[in-house]
Amino acid sequence: MEYRPILKTTMELATPGLANGIFCGSGFALMTLPLVEGGIGRCAIHSAKLMGRFGLIGAAVTATFAGVSLSLEKYRKKNDLINPAVGGFVTGAACFGYGYAANIIPKAIAGRSIPMVIAGGTLYAMMPPIYSYFNIKN
C-alpha cells in the first residue's frame, strides 16, 4: 500500500480551504458593509480583515481534517471510513470547542464547553459517512 506524504497533501488540501474561506469572507464582508461607518478606506480594511479571517479559518479546518486523516491512514495502515470520521471529529471538536468558529457563530453557541466539543466533533464526524453513502466525490 502506497501512502501519500502527509505534509505535502495537507498543504495541497489547505490551499482550496484558504480560497474558499476568502470567497466566503468576501460575501460576508459585502453583507456587513453597510454597517461600517467611514470612508472607502475603512470599508476596504474591514473587507480585507474579514476575508483574511475566513480564509485562515478555512485553511485551518481543511488542514486539521487532512492531517489527522492522513496520519491515521499511515499509522493504522488502512484506508477505510474510520480515518476521515476521526479526522472530522477532531476538526469539529477544534472548531466548536476551541473557538475557530467563534468568529463566525455567536459566542453563546461556541462557548468552549465539553458539550460543544462533543456536538461539533460528532457533527463533523458524520460528514464522511454521509458523503460516502451518497457517493459524493471530492
Side-chain angles (χ1 to χ4, degrees):
M1 180 176 193
E2 187 176 325
Y3 298 108
R4 298 177 282 184
I6 295 172
L7 188 61
K8 180 183 176 198
T9 308
T10 300
M11 291 303 146
E12 287 175 355
L13 292 174
T15 305
L18 177 71
N20 288 335
I22 289 173
F23 180 73
C24 291
S26 66
F28 193 75
L30 285 174
M31 289 189 306
T32 60
L33 210 54
L35 302 175
V36 178
E37 307 239 343
I40 190 76
R42 189 176 284 262
C43 291
I45 290 171
H46 169 74
S47 299
K49 280 183 179 180
L50 279 177
M51 290 167 62
R53 184 180 300 143
F54 275 70
L56 290 177
I57 290 171
V61 166
T62 54
T64 303
F65 177 78
V68 171
S69 298
L70 292 172
S71 297
L72 276 174
E73 179 182 331
K74 188 172 184 179
Y75 177 74
R76 294 179 62 232
K77 297 179 177 42
K78 289 182 185 176
N79 188 9
D80 56 0
L81 203 54
I82 293 174
N83 299 340
V86 172
F89 186 84
V90 171
T91 303
C95 286
F96 285 92
Y98 181 68
Y100 282 148
N103 295 325
I104 301 171
I105 60 178
K107 292 190 185 220
I109 297 173
R112 294 187 182 188
S113 63
I114 298 297
M116 281 311 300
V117 169
I118 294 170
T122 305
L123 178 71
Y124 273 60
M126 289 181 346
M127 288 182 189
I130 290 171
Y131 283 175
S132 175
Y133 179 76
F134 289 109
N135 201 13
I136 299 173
K137 302 294 181 193
N138 291 348

